[in-house]
Amino acid sequence: MYELPFLDLPALDGASGTVRLPGSKSISNRVLLLAGLCAGTTAVHDLLASDDTRVMLAALQALGCALRTDADGVVHVTGLGGQLAVHEARLFLGNAGTAMRPLAAALAVLAATQGGSFELSGVPRMHERPIADLVDALRPLGCGIDELGAPGYPPLRLHGTAGGRLQTRQPIRVRGDVSSQFLTALLMALPLVAGEHDVVIEVVGELISKPYIEITLNLLARFGIEVQHQAWQRFTIGRGSRYRSPGAIHVEGDASSASYFIAAGAIAARDGAALRIEGVGLDSIQGDIRFVDAARAMGAQVRGGPGWLEVQRGRWPLAALTLDCKHIPDAAMTLAVMGLYADGPTRLSGIASWRVKETDRIAAMAAELRKVGAQVSEGPDFIEVTPPLDWRAATIQTYDDHRMAMCLSLASFNALAGASPASGGRDSLPVPGRPVRILDPRCVGKTFPDYFEALFGVAHATPENVPVITVDGPTASGKGTLAAALAAALGWHLLDSGALYRATGLVAQWDGVSPDDEAAVARLAAALDLRFGQGGESGRTWLRGREVSEDLRLEATGVLASRVSALPAVRKALHGLQLAWRKVPGLVADGRDMGTVVFPDAPLKVFLTASPAQRAQRRHKQLISKGIPANIADLRADLEARDARDRMRSVAPLKPAEDALLLDNSDLSIEDSVAQVLGWWEQRRPFDALPSVAARPPGASSP
Ligand code: DC
């Protein structure tokens, strides 16, 4: 995926369709470790692909687990059966707390009983994340643990002598008020040594984040381990416990990620068309599923079953909410943004933990919500959001925090906010929507790499709100290259309209239809079955299911295209197809009549030219590089003749739109041309100037 310094979201006014959620991070890494500890092979379906799961997979492999990913993306893990296969390893665990804590516990127990030496380290930030509570719980059992850096922090070395025994007859005590991950780590490690007698874990202090312990207990049960607990303070792993692979296991979609789409449905799924969310359902084992109750309290209509949810707007505006959010700390951020669309102030309390997450989320949320026009007050453990009276186009900082980016994207539904109560009633007067600029949008990769693609797949905007930049110009002016570079820089869709005419010419040839038979060619154009590759397949094209990426670029195809493009009925047939490309978040449209005929209201039109000498030289280079002999003088004469014909022709003549900006790129590099057009575009944007944005590396934004 290309890197984007920013992504502009147009004002959105609808949401419908289906979103498939990526797997839950918490479940993914627990399942991987459990599969690695038990005997036999476990097929893990819908595993989250992210940095944190990648380090866990690498660690399992280093420990001797066999891993195989099949064609359907299912990861097959063959576990150790509780027996170390290697007795020495150095494991690098990045910044994955969900790998460090449970692996430390499991390897401490295995090394102590079977002998071995394991070093666990991570990125510098990982070495600032405390692990003392876990070390303090494990040492009294007889586990050998050396802290290789600061006491109480990774890196750690875990060691023991073969045949060593652990003191597990006494209750094992662990603090529960700093992180529930330490208890989770013990719950997953100690079944390895609960053969002869019960193992009891006692929580010292109040246990925070109980929902995450519920996930752990639930998954342990799937792997054959029953744990009894008394009031979340005393946990008993029964004698004779033994890990058993469930054979296959599905990783639920991430319930925190679901919150953004539940919110989008509550705000924008109207007219009886629900927004469907697949991968997580009302039966979810994740605590954040209780976000559904909060969303309902604000007015969302939510239905659901196993593995799916359907959400629609219930009441509008949303009902303001006052809620203690201790039970849903991550998803509660989404409620703060829903507060923008409420009928009064929304007050969320019990969120002190926000202050110590990826960033100080209370401060960050307050600052960014104020930018769109909300009134926000905050305290040590609460935030209160009063909806904007006047929405503003805002440049949103994301603080290298995936949830800030995903949450604030929901501010772009402001086209639905309606007029403020102060200006005459929300439902009566629609306000023009305001675009929202998200800085460093790729920070969503931590849990939801394709978040924006998923959002754009279900979000709608009225066409006037979806920006279009048109790039017209003569043959060989470099339109295609410029347009593709602009689309990549902005994260927009790209319409290569010439490809539509080329494809029409090709099917006419395939079907033996004369390129001059206007009615027949127009019928083919109207039924064009053309697919452009996305993501990893970008740049490739299929026509009637057959790949035509190369055929489309052939000179002969260009000649056919030039003939069929002169037929008015063909142009008409392709018109609607081209309009349909105007989709969220924006479109760069390349072709000679994009600014004049197809998108006459485009907010920026570029007419690209270059001297015939330059264009002839470029075309010459292109042909020679393909091994096609060519002569510059002939090419130039050809181009000049074609220009003259194109200007004169009655159908779609080549001419700049009156409001087009001319860009003569004869002496410009591609980068210069792109920078020039982006500069023009920036001048038309309502955002505050951010001179350093383009140069800022992703993640470098600061509060
Ligand atoms: O840009 P290109 O070489 O792929 O265009 C192929 C032919 O289609 C060329 O003769 C110009 C014509 N065309 C057109 O008439 N209108 C467009 N919007 C795009 C291309």
Side-chain angles (χ1 to χ4, degrees), residues 41-47 57 66-77 247-250:
T41 298
T42 308
V44 185
H45 296 253
D46 302 323
L47 188 74
L57 285 165
L67 303 176
R68 181 175 64 84
T69 304
D70 69 22
D72 296 327
V74 180
V75 180
H76 300 258
V77 181
I249 190 162
H250 284 261

mmCIF file of all heavy atoms in Angstrom, residues 41-47 57 66-77 247-250:
data_model
loop_
_atom_site.group_PDB
_atom_site.id
_atom_site.type_symbol
_atom_site.label_atom_id
_atom_site.label_comp_id
_atom_site.label_asym_id
_atom_site.label_seq_id
_atom_site.Cartn_x
_atom_site.Cartn_y
_atom_site.Cartn_z
ATOM 1 N N THR A 41 -2.572 -30.435 15.139
ATOM 2 C CA THR A 41 -2.604 -29.275 14.254
ATOM 3 C C THR A 41 -3.944 -28.555 14.395
ATOM 4 O O THR A 41 -4.996 -29.189 14.442
ATOM 5 C CB THR A 41 -2.390 -29.724 12.793
ATOM 6 O OG1 THR A 41 -1.106 -30.334 12.693
ATOM 7 C CG2 THR A 41 -2.448 -28.540 11.834
ATOM 8 N N THR A 42 -3.866 -27.246 14.491
ATOM 9 C CA THR A 42 -5.070 -26.422 14.575
ATOM 10 C C THR A 42 -5.147 -25.545 13.331
ATOM 11 O O THR A 42 -4.175 -24.870 12.991
ATOM 12 C CB THR A 42 -5.023 -25.519 15.830
ATOM 13 O OG1 THR A 42 -4.760 -26.335 16.974
ATOM 14 C CG2 THR A 42 -6.339 -24.780 16.016
ATOM 15 N N ALA A 43 -6.282 -25.580 12.648
ATOM 16 C CA ALA A 43 -6.493 -24.716 11.490
ATOM 17 C C ALA A 43 -7.119 -23.415 11.993
ATOM 18 O O ALA A 43 -8.236 -23.422 12.505
ATOM 19 C CB ALA A 43 -7.415 -25.393 10.485
ATOM 20 N N VAL A 44 -6.375 -22.315 11.872
ATOM 21 C CA VAL A 44 -6.859 -21.032 12.380
ATOM 22 C C VAL A 44 -7.429 -20.224 11.213
ATOM 23 O O VAL A 44 -6.699 -19.819 10.304
ATOM 24 C CB VAL A 44 -5.730 -20.249 13.079
ATOM 25 C CG1 VAL A 44 -6.291 -18.979 13.715
ATOM 26 C CG2 VAL A 44 -5.037 -21.116 14.127
ATOM 27 N N HIS A 45 -8.739 -20.016 11.250
ATOM 28 C CA HIS A 45 -9.418 -19.270 10.189
ATOM 29 C C HIS A 45 -9.529 -17.795 10.571
ATOM 30 O O HIS A 45 -9.727 -17.470 11.736
ATOM 31 C CB HIS A 45 -10.838 -19.813 9.980
ATOM 32 C CG HIS A 45 -10.876 -21.230 9.491
ATOM 33 N ND1 HIS A 45 -11.222 -21.565 8.193
ATOM 34 C CD2 HIS A 45 -10.585 -22.395 10.112
ATOM 35 C CE1 HIS A 45 -11.161 -22.876 8.051
ATOM 36 N NE2 HIS A 45 -10.783 -23.413 9.205
ATOM 37 N N ASP A 46 -9.438 -16.915 9.577
ATOM 38 C CA ASP A 46 -9.670 -15.476 9.759
ATOM 39 C C ASP A 46 -8.695 -14.825 10.727
ATOM 40 O O ASP A 46 -9.040 -13.869 11.425
ATOM 41 C CB ASP A 46 -11.114 -15.215 10.230
ATOM 42 C CG ASP A 46 -12.144 -15.754 9.252
ATOM 43 O OD1 ASP A 46 -11.894 -15.666 8.041
ATOM 44 O OD2 ASP A 46 -13.181 -16.282 9.709
ATOM 45 N N LEU A 47 -7.478 -15.325 10.768
ATOM 46 C CA LEU A 47 -6.458 -14.716 11.622
ATOM 47 C C LEU A 47 -6.206 -13.278 11.170
ATOM 48 O O LEU A 47 -6.153 -12.993 9.976
ATOM 49 C CB LEU A 47 -5.161 -15.529 11.489
ATOM 50 C CG LEU A 47 -4.035 -15.162 12.437
ATOM 51 C CD1 LEU A 47 -4.356 -15.663 13.841
ATOM 52 C CD2 LEU A 47 -2.719 -15.765 11.957
ATOM 53 N N LEU A 57 3.694 -15.364 15.261
ATOM 54 C CA LEU A 57 3.930 -16.475 14.330
ATOM 55 C C LEU A 57 5.426 -16.776 14.218
ATOM 56 O O LEU A 57 5.844 -17.942 14.240
ATOM 57 C CB LEU A 57 3.350 -16.144 12.954
ATOM 58 C CG LEU A 57 1.825 -16.241 12.848
ATOM 59 C CD1 LEU A 57 1.315 -15.543 11.584
ATOM 60 C CD2 LEU A 57 1.381 -17.706 12.847
ATOM 61 N N ALA A 66 5.311 -26.164 13.526
ATOM 62 C CA ALA A 66 5.197 -26.131 12.075
ATOM 63 C C ALA A 66 4.037 -25.216 11.706
ATOM 64 O O ALA A 66 2.951 -25.315 12.286
ATOM 65 C CB ALA A 66 4.954 -27.534 11.538
ATOM 66 N N LEU A 67 4.275 -24.317 10.758
ATOM 67 C CA LEU A 67 3.241 -23.372 10.324
ATOM 68 C C LEU A 67 3.044 -23.517 8.833
ATOM 69 O O LEU A 67 4.003 -23.656 8.084
ATOM 70 C CB LEU A 67 3.679 -21.926 10.602
ATOM 71 C CG LEU A 67 4.037 -21.554 12.032
ATOM 72 C CD1 LEU A 67 4.526 -20.113 12.084
ATOM 73 C CD2 LEU A 67 2.820 -21.729 12.934
ATOM 74 N N ARG A 68 1.803 -23.463 8.426
ATOM 75 C CA ARG A 68 1.522 -23.527 6.989
ATOM 76 C C ARG A 68 0.289 -22.681 6.723
ATOM 77 O O ARG A 68 -0.703 -22.777 7.451
ATOM 78 C CB ARG A 68 1.252 -24.978 6.575
ATOM 79 C CG ARG A 68 0.982 -25.161 5.086
ATOM 80 C CD ARG A 68 0.856 -26.653 4.745
ATOM 81 N NE ARG A 68 -0.303 -27.276 5.401
ATOM 82 C CZ ARG A 68 -1.547 -27.238 4.912
ATOM 83 N NH1 ARG A 68 -1.798 -26.606 3.776
ATOM 84 N NH2 ARG A 68 -2.535 -27.832 5.559
ATOM 85 N N THR A 69 0.369 -21.819 5.710
ATOM 86 C CA THR A 69 -0.799 -21.029 5.325
ATOM 87 C C THR A 69 -1.319 -21.587 4.016
ATOM 88 O O THR A 69 -0.565 -21.705 3.053
ATOM 89 C CB THR A 69 -0.423 -19.547 5.146
ATOM 90 O OG1 THR A 69 0.177 -19.084 6.350
ATOM 91 C CG2 THR A 69 -1.663 -18.704 4.848
ATOM 92 N N ASP A 70 -2.587 -21.968 3.988
ATOM 93 C CA ASP A 70 -3.091 -22.571 2.756
ATOM 94 C C ASP A 70 -3.655 -21.508 1.820
ATOM 95 O O ASP A 70 -3.644 -20.307 2.114
ATOM 96 C CB ASP A 70 -4.094 -23.695 3.053
ATOM 97 C CG ASP A 70 -5.402 -23.179 3.647
ATOM 98 O OD1 ASP A 70 -5.718 -21.984 3.464
ATOM 99 O OD2 ASP A 70 -6.102 -23.986 4.287
ATOM 100 N N ALA A 71 -4.135 -21.953 0.668
ATOM 101 C CA ALA A 71 -4.565 -21.024 -0.377
ATOM 102 C C ALA A 71 -5.719 -20.144 0.084
ATOM 103 O O ALA A 71 -5.901 -19.030 -0.422
ATOM 104 C CB ALA A 71 -4.963 -21.811 -1.628
ATOM 105 N N ASP A 72 -6.495 -20.608 1.052
ATOM 106 C CA ASP A 72 -7.619 -19.805 1.543
ATOM 107 C C ASP A 72 -7.205 -18.871 2.674
ATOM 108 O O ASP A 72 -8.061 -18.265 3.323
ATOM 109 C CB ASP A 72 -8.747 -20.720 2.044
ATOM 110 C CG ASP A 72 -9.320 -21.554 0.908
ATOM 111 O OD1 ASP A 72 -9.346 -21.036 -0.229
ATOM 112 O OD2 ASP A 72 -9.705 -22.713 1.151
ATOM 113 N N GLY A 73 -5.915 -18.819 2.969
ATOM 114 C CA GLY A 73 -5.452 -17.939 4.030
ATOM 115 C C GLY A 73 -5.591 -18.550 5.416
ATOM 116 O O GLY A 73 -5.334 -17.883 6.415
ATOM 117 N N VAL A 74 -5.996 -19.815 5.488
ATOM 118 C CA VAL A 74 -6.109 -20.478 6.787
ATOM 119 C C VAL A 74 -4.702 -20.866 7.255
ATOM 120 O O VAL A 74 -3.917 -21.423 6.480
ATOM 121 C CB VAL A 74 -6.992 -21.740 6.681
ATOM 122 C CG1 VAL A 74 -7.108 -22.443 8.027
ATOM 123 C CG2 VAL A 74 -8.364 -21.369 6.132
ATOM 124 N N VAL A 75 -4.390 -20.522 8.523
ATOM 125 C CA VAL A 75 -3.066 -20.821 9.048
ATOM 126 C C VAL A 75 -3.136 -22.105 9.873
ATOM 127 O O VAL A 75 -3.923 -22.196 10.818
ATOM 128 C CB VAL A 75 -2.551 -19.651 9.913
ATOM 129 C CG1 VAL A 75 -1.164 -19.965 10.471
ATOM 130 C CG2 VAL A 75 -2.518 -18.359 9.094
ATOM 131 N N HIS A 76 -2.334 -23.087 9.492
ATOM 132 C CA HIS A 76 -2.326 -24.371 10.199
ATOM 133 C C HIS A 76 -1.120 -24.395 11.128
ATOM 134 O O HIS A 76 0.018 -24.291 10.667
ATOM 135 C CB HIS A 76 -2.253 -25.530 9.198
ATOM 136 C CG HIS A 76 -3.414 -25.553 8.241
ATOM 137 N ND1 HIS A 76 -4.483 -26.409 8.376
ATOM 138 C CD2 HIS A 76 -3.685 -24.786 7.146
ATOM 139 C CE1 HIS A 76 -5.360 -26.185 7.400
ATOM 140 N NE2 HIS A 76 -4.888 -25.204 6.643
ATOM 141 N N VAL A 77 -1.374 -24.531 12.423
ATOM 142 C CA VAL A 77 -0.307 -24.513 13.426
ATOM 143 C C VAL A 77 -0.211 -25.896 14.051
ATOM 144 O O VAL A 77 -1.191 -26.397 14.601
ATOM 145 C CB VAL A 77 -0.619 -23.487 14.536
ATOM 146 C CG1 VAL A 77 0.516 -23.449 15.567
ATOM 147 C CG2 VAL A 77 -0.869 -22.101 13.947
ATOM 148 N N GLY A 247 -8.995 -28.651 16.603
ATOM 149 C CA GLY A 247 -8.961 -29.021 15.185
ATOM 150 C C GLY A 247 -9.004 -27.793 14.295
ATOM 151 O O GLY A 247 -8.090 -27.507 13.554
ATOM 152 N N ALA A 248 -10.102 -27.065 14.403
ATOM 153 C CA ALA A 248 -10.212 -25.822 13.636
ATOM 154 C C ALA A 248 -10.822 -24.768 14.543
ATOM 155 O O ALA A 248 -11.611 -25.095 15.436
ATOM 156 C CB ALA A 248 -11.092 -26.020 12.409
ATOM 157 N N ILE A 249 -10.437 -23.548 14.334
ATOM 158 C CA ILE A 249 -11.010 -22.476 15.151
ATOM 159 C C ILE A 249 -11.103 -21.210 14.305
ATOM 160 O O ILE A 249 -10.230 -20.937 13.480
ATOM 161 C CB ILE A 249 -10.176 -22.258 16.442
ATOM 162 C CG1 ILE A 249 -10.901 -21.312 17.399
ATOM 163 C CG2 ILE A 249 -8.773 -21.755 16.136
ATOM 164 C CD1 ILE A 249 -10.384 -21.395 18.831
ATOM 165 N N HIS A 250 -12.204 -20.472 14.479
ATOM 166 C CA HIS A 250 -12.391 -19.217 13.748
ATOM 167 C C HIS A 250 -12.072 -18.059 14.669
ATOM 168 O O HIS A 250 -12.509 -18.041 15.815
ATOM 169 C CB HIS A 250 -13.838 -19.085 13.277
ATOM 170 C CG HIS A 250 -14.139 -19.942 12.099
ATOM 171 N ND1 HIS A 250 -14.151 -19.464 10.811
ATOM 172 C CD2 HIS A 250 -14.405 -21.264 12.013
ATOM 173 C CE1 HIS A 250 -14.422 -20.448 9.982
ATOM 174 N NE2 HIS A 250 -14.589 -21.557 10.686
#
